[in-house]
């Protein structure tokens, strides 16, 4: 009797953020192969096989997918992973993804700004600055910032998670930020744009035949690092008119670029007049277990729907279910009292927050060293609250209610 060969899926990533995707793919009958440079990623032990390689190297991923004979490729929670995934699927004729060129237009900040301007979608006023072969192009940068009103944001076009992003209040700060952005990007240019004042939010949609078939919206929180999301709660404080605009913008983009079915995730700033200004957009799952947050808050199996879409399955049956209850996904991060080089002792939770905990996923261990407190995470916790007022109150105090403690010297 012949042995049935399992259908293979290559997942570009293997961190804690990819665990829901790995589990969803396995529940759909896939043999999951994870990849990435981080051999200590918490998701790798959940997979059926690990092959460690640089998922930002699209040619290496193409070779890996061919060698393993995979029938599908899924992106992890990283823009480089998404771009390599789109490239590999295009080369192999696999379903579930946009073309590589389309993916670049969405995920590179300068290209998206140009697209948004063309489609009449609110976006920060921005200027692209090329880097000289030998380093920063100071003359072009000076010309660029002369066109903009301060404060401005200086950022690489290809990085996420707040990497290389700075807000500059004056030209001197802008020049320092420019050099840092140039040192981090893999591209030959960066973008500078005017700062947009307002509240920060997320808008995660599932597209089916160019239409928004499901949407989830949240309110973002930031802690020590003002460009790295540390938490999100829901329901969104944005009104129905704002969310309707975002649906319209999403469908404009989908029509213009002929997007395949699947996720379209947006980060936006809502101005005082209710205008949503899109600052980031992607077609890969957001990180830090956001897709599990969506599943908790709506009951919709978001991880499974994402895997189905990326493997070419029909997702037209998804229901547009609103948030049920009051939820918070919170990353446990180092506070101002913790210095780089501190040794972690524990994570503590105040008695008044204990009853709100739905799930704790802590990966820190006593003895861990906080090498960079702006990005260090001890884990992620999901909370449910009894009312909007309780959610708002405890979210505002969460960095005091759930804290990392360190060993005293």
């Amino acid at each position: 009797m012949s042995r049935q060969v399992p259908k293979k899926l290559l997942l570009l990533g293997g961190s804690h953020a990819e665990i829901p995707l790995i589990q969803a793919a396995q529940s759909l009958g896939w043999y999951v192969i994870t990849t990435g440079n981080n051999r200590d990623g918490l998701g790798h032990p959940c997979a059926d096989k690990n092959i460690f390689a640089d998922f930002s190297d699209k040619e290496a991923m193409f070779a890996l997918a061919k060698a393993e004979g995979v029938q599908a490729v899924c992106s992890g929670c990283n823009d480089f992973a998404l771009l390599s995934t789109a490239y590999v699927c295009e080369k192999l004729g696999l379903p579930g993804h946009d073309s590589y060129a389309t993916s670049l237009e969405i995920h590179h900040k300068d290209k998206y700004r140009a697209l948004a301007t063309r489609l009449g979608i609110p976006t920060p006023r921005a200027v692209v600055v090329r880097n000289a072969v030998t380093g920063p192009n100071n003359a072009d940068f000076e010309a660029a910032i002369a066109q903009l009103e301060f404060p401005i944001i200086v950022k690489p076009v290809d990085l996420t998670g707040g990497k290389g992003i700075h807000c500059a209040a004056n030209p001197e700060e802008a020049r320092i930020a420019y050099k840092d952005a140039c040192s981090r990007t893999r591209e030959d240019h960066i973008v500078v744009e005017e700062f947009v004042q307002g509240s920060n939010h997320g808008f995660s949609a599932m597209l089916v035949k160019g239409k928004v078939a499901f949407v989830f919206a949240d309110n973002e929180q930031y802690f020590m690092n003002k460009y790295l999301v540390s938490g999100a709660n829901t329901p969104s404080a944005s009104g129905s008119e704002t969310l309707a605009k975002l649906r319209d913008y999403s469908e404009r983009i989908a029509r213009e670029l002929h997007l395949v079915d699947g996720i379209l995730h947006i980060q936006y700033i809502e101005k005082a007049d209710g205008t949503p200004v899109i600052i980031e957009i992607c077609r890969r799952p957001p990180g830090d277990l956001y897709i599990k947050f969506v599943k908790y808050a709506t009951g919709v199996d978001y991880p499974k729907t994402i895997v189905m879409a990326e493997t070419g399955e029909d997702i037209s049956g998804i229901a547009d279910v609103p948030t049920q209850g009051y939820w918070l996904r919170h990353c446990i991060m180092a506070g101002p009292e913790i210095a780089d080089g501190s040794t972690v002792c524990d994570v503590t939770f105040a008695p008044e927050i204990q009853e709100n905990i739905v799930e704790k996923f802590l990966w820190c261990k006593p003895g861990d060293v906080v090498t960079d407190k702006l990005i260090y995470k001890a884990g992620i916790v999901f909370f449910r609250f009894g009312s909007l007022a309780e959610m708002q109150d405890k979210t505002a105090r969460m960095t005091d209610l759930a804290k990392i403690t360190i060993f005293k010297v």
Side-chain angles (χ1 to χ4, degrees):
M1 185 175 180
S2 62
R3 182 183 175 187
Q4 186 175 3
V5 178
K7 55 180 184 176
K8 292 183 180 181
L9 180 149
L10 176 62
L11 176 63
L12 275 60
S15 72
H16 65 277
E18 281 78 43
I19 291 175
L21 296 170
I22 296 167
Q23 294 172 337
Q26 290 169 332
S27 75
L28 290 166
W30 290 97
Y31 178 91
V32 180
I33 303 168
T34 55
T35 190
N37 282 332
N38 182 12
R39 293 172 177 264
D40 298 323
L42 298 177
H44 290 307
C46 301
D48 299 290
K49 183 177 182 179
N50 314 133
I51 301 177
F52 298 109
D54 181 0
F55 60 57
S56 72
D57 185 338
K58 61 184 186 295
E59 294 297 346
M61 293 298 99
F62 177 46
L64 174 55
K66 285 197 300 181
E68 289 297 315
V70 302
Q71 288 79 49
V73 185
C74 282
S75 172
C77 307
N78 179 282
D79 279 5
F80 287 117
L82 182 284
L83 292 172
S84 290
T85 297
Y87 178 81
V88 172
C89 288
E90 185 173 56
K91 295 275 281 188
L92 293 178
L94 298 178
H97 297 276
D98 306 311
S99 70
Y100 181 66
T102 295
S103 299
L104 284 172
E105 195 158 2
I106 289 174
H107 291 85
H108 277 190
K109 296 171 178 60
D110 58 322
K111 294 180 185 296
Y112 171 72
R113 297 289 185 269
L115 171 69
T117 300
R118 189 167 78 245
L119 296 180
I121 296 173
T123 190
R125 185 163 173 250
V127 181
V128 174
V129 182
R130 298 285 166 184
N131 304 338
V133 176
T134 56
N137 190 329
N138 296 319
D140 281 1
F141 181 71
E142 294 295 332
I145 63 175
Q147 302 175 49
L148 303 174
E149 291 187 15
F150 283 88
I152 63 172
I153 299 290
V154 182
K155 60 175 68 173
V157 300
D158 56 336
L159 303 181
T160 58
K163 302 178 187 71
I165 298 178
H166 301 277
C167 182
N170 54 59
E172 183 178 351
E173 290 181 3
R175 293 176 192 118
I176 296 171
Y178 175 52
K179 290 179 181 179
D180 182 61
C182 290
S183 71
R184 293 171 181 264
T185 185
R186 302 187 188 190
E187 299 297 316
D188 65 355
H189 56 286
I190 61 99
V191 68
V192 290
E193 60 190 35
E194 292 178 348
F195 178 79
V196 178
Q197 186 68 44
S199 55
N200 293 75
H201 305 269
F203 178 91
S204 200
M206 196 61 64
L207 299 175
V208 176
K209 294 181 171 57
K211 297 291 186 181
V212 173
F214 167 86
V215 69
F216 176 81
D218 67 63
N219 314 296
E220 293 179 345
Q221 287 84 50
Y222 296 78
F223 189 28
M224 296 293 291
N225 187 336
K226 301 306 178 185
Y227 305 104
L228 179 65
V229 179
S230 62
N233 65 22
T234 191
S236 174
S238 292
S240 58
E241 289 186 8
T242 297
L243 298 179
K245 289 177 182 177
L246 288 163
R247 282 178 178 266
D248 175 54
Y249 300 156
S250 299
E251 291 178 358
R252 285 190 210 177
I253 295 167
R255 285 194 303 269
E256 178 73 11
L257 299 180
H258 307 288
L259 299 183
V260 300
D261 292 356
I263 190 171
L264 179 69
H265 187 81
I266 287 169
Q267 286 181 282
Y268 68 98
I269 294 175
E270 183 173 1
K271 298 170 67 175
D273 63 2
T275 300
V277 180
I278 296 175
I279 54 171
E280 301 288 349
I281 186 168
C282 68
R283 297 223 67 194
R284 46 89 177 164
D288 285 331
L289 303 182
Y290 185 94
I291 55 178
K292 194 170 190 179
F293 175 48
V294 177
K295 184 177 180 180
Y296 268 130
T298 66
V300 172
D301 197 333
Y302 217 43
K304 183 177 286 188
T305 305
I306 291 169
V307 172
M308 289 175 64
E310 294 203 27
T311 56
E313 292 191 44
D314 181 13
I315 61 167
S316 60
I318 190 170
D320 195 4
V321 180
T323 294
Q324 311 292 310
Y326 306 93
W327 295 85
L328 168 68
R329 177 211 58 166
H330 180 71
C331 298
I332 308 294
M333 302 188 71
E337 74 283 0
I338 296 178
D340 287 348
S342 298
T343 304
V344 173
C345 175
D346 198 3
V347 174
T348 61
F349 297 88
E352 66 176 295
I353 200 66
Q354 293 282 357
E355 65 180 16
N356 300 110
I357 297 173
V358 174
E359 181 186 356
K360 289 188 292 188
F361 183 41
L362 305 179
W363 54 77
C364 70
K365 301 180 295 296
D368 286 353
V369 176
V370 179
T371 54
D372 184 348
K373 69 179 184 180
L374 292 181
I375 61 174
Y376 179 82
K377 295 187 183 83
I380 296 169
V381 185
F382 297 93
F383 299 92
R384 185 170 189 175
F385 306 99
S387 68
L388 177 62
E390 183 187 19
M391 180 185 79
Q392 291 173 334
D393 170 55
K394 290 184 176 177
T395 295
R397 297 186 291 120
M398 190 54 65
T399 53
D400 291 322
L401 297 175
K403 302 186 70 169
I404 298 172
T405 61
I406 61 171
F407 288 106
K408 302 297 182 181
V409 179

